[in-house]
Amino acid sequence: MTADKPLRADAQQKREALLAAAREVFDTGDFFDLRFDDFARLAGVGTGTLYRHFPTREALAEAVYHGEVAALCDRARQLQAALPAAEALATFLRTMVEHIAAHQGLARTLATLWADRSGALAEGSRALEEAVGDLVAAAVQEGTVRDDVDSGAVMVALHGIGAAHDRPGWRAEADDVITLVLDGLRRPQ
């Protein structure tokens, strides 16, 4: 499949069905328990369709990851358009925690698949950092957030939250970390 040529409507539907099936499998944590061909069966498509769109397990995982990143970046833009800047930033950071909680299987699978290919996630990480950077910059311009902390520090906190997802009581602790980050970003009165 080439990135330049748009897919026919039926081919796009089959591709989306494969991605949806893979997302479900990620969320259950069974990604490695299935034969790669099983994704075609779960999506209700033929194996030729699977291999045409995603020639490897890694290609399928990468497509799911990039879809999730795109959805999160879209969410950041929607929040920025609809809410005051500080509220948009806070809502997005809490959305990120919800996303991490809902998709822990995806994070574990990606970490396993790309343990030796850290560059494979770099593009998505840059896109998320840009989205967070836009939210932070808007809040700085609004005057509600300090101007001496950049989006990289916020991303480090988010990465730490994601890395600690196996801790007992993780969700409450993750929410507390977001509160600490937001309190730390708040511009002193």
Side-chain angles (χ1 to χ4, degrees), residues 102-184:
H103 301 289
Q104 290 178 20
L106 175 60
R108 280 191 292 274
T109 301
L110 292 173
T112 301
L113 281 173
W114 292 321
D116 60 343
R117 294 175 46 204
S118 61
L121 302 178
E123 183 182 330
S125 184
R126 280 191 298 274
L128 280 174
E129 186 163 351
E130 185 177 311
V132 169
D134 291 346
L135 291 166
V136 170
V140 167
Q141 187 172 1
E142 180 184 75
T144 54
V145 167
R146 298 167 34 178
D147 62 0
D148 62 340
V149 180
D150 67 16
S151 61
V154 177
M155 291 303 293
V156 168
L158 289 172
H159 285 293
I161 288 169
H165 70 271
D166 287 333
R167 288 177 52 84
W170 171 86
R171 181 56 195 260
E173 291 174 342
D175 289 337
D176 289 346
V177 170
I178 294 299
T179 298
L180 286 171
V181 167
L182 292 169
D183 287 349

